Amino acid sequence: MQAFDLLAVLPELVLLIATSFLLVASVYVPERQLATPGVEQDIFHTPRGVGFVYFFTIILLVYLIFAFIGRMGDVSLVAMNGLFQSDPFSNLLKACSCAAVLVSLIYSKQYLTDRAMFRPDFIVLALLALLGQFVLISGANLLTLYLGLELMALPTYALVAMRHNSEKSVEAAIKYFILGALASGFLLYGMSMLYGVTGSLDLIEIFRTVADPRVNHLVMAFGLVFIVSGLAFKLGVVPFHMWVPDVYQGAPTAVTLMIAAAPKLAAFALLFRLLVNTLLPLVDDWQPMLVLLAVLSLVIGNVTAIAQTNLKRMLAYSAIAQMGFVLLGMLSVFDDHAFSASMFYAITYVLTTLGSFGLLMLLSRKGHDCETLDDLKGLNKNHPWFAFIGLVMMFSLAGIPPTVGFAAKLGVLEVLVDGGHTFIAIIAVIASLIGAFYYLRVVKVMYFDEPVLQHPVQISGSGVARGLLGLNAILVLALGIFPSGLMDVCLDAMRRTLLGS
């Protein structure tokens, strides 16, 4: 390994070494015990070293955010003998992934503490999943992409099952693991077909071979079907969405946020690396597949969400519909504005998701999870500021101005119309109007319904978490009023990445 390679993968090495250090060091760090007199504490209720691990992780994630932001101006490069690539696209998504995990941990601290889940292993698993996202986002080889995908997925399976005394969590973890293994098999089988036809695992070499008209197109088409199927599962779009609502509802809210936020950015990166960087010559084959997946996700996701009374399940079907919009931006394949619109949509969706689940966790308390519509009834009477935060998040998910969700949806619709996909754009608008119903229903419940719970909702969490949630809502509004800054960053990153590839 040369110095050039070490420099290219330095943030990933720092994260790997720091995570390994935290895993071992937490055992030896003395921690003040919150023991109840006369009650024996076991490993599941003794968070030894968790304070040290938590604050070290916060510092680590802040460093990584600034490290990747500092690399935004660097040129695209390939390292590790063609296994790893660093470009503006990957650096932007990695910075956003770090920020998402950082915010998730801050929101989750009190929620996890109340449920005896605030332990070093939770944080270490979250960091390992983040490392997998880094590898996946920067993959320049089919093996690197697959290893990154598995490194991201395996810790999340464990996180879902961490509440071992909950039947729902264990059931959700089993479903997630089995269906995830099936999707990984689809993806790996498709990759093996690509390797069989092209004789290479390198994305650039595969691109050159696929562009050759002498290649066996039938085998390539079969491989493409399996690859798109695997990608659809990781994005959680119809008809590969069956795991999303069950896992979102069954997992603890803190774990649901870990699944719903940063991994979406990595899944988008995988979609871009495989379909654009590698299989762009087969656009006539995979574009109709994306159209079908996107339209089905928009319609089924929004329609099914109307019937939900569980907020986490409703947000799961909302996520299915939102990912449909991300796919729509990939249809205009020869327009860098289209790819940047999809990236902008994915980033802003993660921002809104952080606020939505963060609000649910701060409204939860020990012995009670805020996850039904009844839990939010009359919220404005007792906590008007948090009701306003909920309103901002629901407006953004629905695409109502002046929130960032409106700017994101408008950007995708513009590239659809400019690319000649007007009919699909009309379907997307109609589906969004349907979806607005269940988002506005949440607002109606918070502002106009009377509380039904015997005990009024109490706000948990530290002052830092509450302040960060308010900043999250302000950012959703600010980016909706002034979206051009982040849009320009996404467009510049996408252009320089495409030119360098």
Side-chain angles (χ1 to χ4, degrees):
M1 183 183 294
Q2 301 178 355
F4 171 79
D5 293 328
L6 284 174
L7 184 62
V9 301
L10 181 60
E12 285 77 10
L13 284 177
V14 170
L15 178 58
L16 175 61
I17 294 171
T19 303
S20 303
F21 166 74
L22 291 175
L23 183 62
V24 176
S26 62
V27 180
Y28 299 99
V29 175
E31 187 83 2
R32 181 173 64 89
Q33 300 298 314
L34 302 177
T36 303
V39 178
E40 183 180 356
Q41 300 292 299
D42 60 46
I43 189 174
F44 294 109
H45 296 85
T46 307
R48 183 173 184 177
V50 69
F52 167 76
V53 173
Y54 176 77
F55 288 110
F56 189 97
T57 300
I58 297 298
I59 296 172
L60 172 66
L61 292 173
V62 171
Y63 157 74
L64 290 173
I65 291 171
F66 283 103
F68 288 122
I69 292 176
R71 292 180 170 219
M72 282 291 297
D74 295 351
V75 297
S76 302
L77 56 91
V78 178
M80 309 293 292
N81 293 321
L83 294 174
F84 186 92
Q85 56 187 329
S86 176
D87 48 38
F89 170 83
S90 62
N91 290 324
L92 176 58
L93 288 184
K94 288 177 187 178
C96 293
S97 295
C98 288
V101 174
L102 173 64
V103 174
S104 299
L105 287 176
I106 294 175
Y107 286 160
S108 305
K109 185 175 184 292
Q110 187 60 48
Y111 179 92
L112 294 170
T113 302
D114 290 340
R115 288 149 185 81
M117 294 175 58
F118 188 56
R119 310 197 304 266
D121 51 339
F122 180 95
I123 299 174
V124 168
L125 286 171
L127 291 178
L128 287 175
L130 180 62
L131 179 62
Q133 293 164 35
F134 286 178
V135 175
L136 179 57
I137 291 171
S138 285
N141 185 286
L142 291 181
L143 281 182
T144 313
L145 290 175
Y146 185 75
L147 288 174
L149 182 65
E150 291 304 296
L151 182 55
M152 178 183 72
L154 291 175
T156 58
Y157 300 152
L159 285 172
V160 174
M162 183 163 284
R163 190 161 58 181
H164 55 91
N165 57 352
S166 170
E167 292 183 2
K168 284 186 177 180
S169 293
V170 174
E171 179 185 353
I174 293 174
K175 289 180 180 178
Y176 193 20
F177 175 74
I178 293 175
L179 294 175
L182 182 64
S184 295
F186 280 173
L187 196 61
L188 194 59
Y189 190 57
M191 289 179 174
S192 68
M193 286 188 170
L194 283 183
Y195 176 70
V197 173
T198 63
S200 175
L201 296 172
D202 185 81
L203 300 187
I204 297 176
E205 289 299 322
I206 294 175
F207 179 89
R208 293 171 181 165
T209 305
V210 170
D212 189 340
R214 295 172 296 177
V215 74
N216 190 326
H217 185 82
L218 181 62
V219 177
M220 293 295 298
F222 271 110
L224 183 62
V225 169
F226 283 102
I227 286 176
V228 171
S229 298
L231 291 173
F233 176 89
K234 296 304 176 183
L235 284 169
V237 295
V238 177
F240 304 95
H241 66 292
M242 63 289 291
W243 65 273
V244 181
D246 291 337
V247 173
Y248 271 46
Q249 182 181 5
T253 307
V255 177
T256 304
L257 181 55
M258 288 291 180
I259 298 171
K264 297 297 185 187
L265 299 175
F268 170 74
L270 179 62
L271 182 75
F272 178 81
R273 295 296 188 198
L274 286 177
L275 296 188
V276 178
N277 278 6
T278 309
L279 300 176
L280 190 60
L282 298 179
V283 60
D284 291 336
D285 294 309
W286 59 255
Q287 192 179 60
M289 300 183 199
L290 292 193
V291 171
L292 182 62
L293 294 173
V295 172
L296 287 176
S297 299
L298 285 168
V299 175
I300 295 177
N302 281 317
V303 171
T304 311
I306 293 175
Q308 308 305 316
T309 57
N310 184 284
L311 291 169
K312 289 164 66 175
R313 202 169 183 88
M314 185 200 80
L315 289 173
Y317 283 106
S318 166
I320 294 168
Q322 303 287 348
M323 288 301 102
F325 257 100
V326 172
L327 293 181
L328 289 180
M330 305 292 289
L331 298 185
S332 301
V333 293
F334 300 107
D335 184 3
D336 48 15
H337 284 85
F339 299 139
S340 66
S342 280
M343 181 193 280
F344 179 81
Y345 196 102
I347 292 172
T348 55
Y349 167 70
V350 168
L351 176 65
T352 308
T353 297
L354 288 169
S356 301
F357 284 102
L359 179 64
L360 294 184
M361 281 190 284
L362 264 63
L363 294 178
S364 300
R365 60 181 182 273
K366 191 171 185 178
H368 176 75
D369 281 11
C370 176
E371 57 179 51
T372 66
L373 287 173
D374 287 344
D375 294 329
L376 294 182
K377 287 185 176 180
L379 180 62
N380 182 58
K381 294 183 179 180
N382 297 317
H383 305 286
W385 171 241
F386 289 93
F388 175 73
I389 292 175
L391 178 145
V392 170
M393 298 306 163
M394 292 302 107
F395 274 22
S396 183
L397 290 172
I400 299 174
T403 60
V404 71
F406 171 76
K409 281 184 168 60
L410 182 62
V412 172
L413 292 174
E414 283 180 346
V415 297
L416 279 176
V417 174
D418 292 342
H421 304 287
T422 306
F423 181 70
I424 299 175
I426 293 173
I427 295 176
V429 170
I430 295 174
S432 297
L433 290 175
I434 296 172
F437 170 80
Y438 60 87
Y439 295 123
L440 294 178
R441 180 179 59 185
V442 176
V443 176
K444 174 256 183 187
V445 163
M446 291 189 297
Y447 278 85
F448 301 108
D449 284 13
E450 293 295 327
V452 296
L453 298 179
Q454 295 180 352
H455 303 285
V457 173
Q458 298 177 353
I459 305 299
S460 64
S462 64
V464 175
R466 299 183 189 190
L468 187 59
L469 183 62
L471 181 62
N472 194 332
I474 293 172
L475 196 57
V476 168
L477 284 173
L479 287 175
I481 300 171
F482 307 104
S484 58
L486 182 56
M487 282 182 172
D488 291 341
V489 170
C490 292
L491 181 59
D492 179 67
M494 190 61 70
R495 280 178 173 171
R496 291 194 291 122
T497 299
L498 291 173
L499 288 175
S501 61

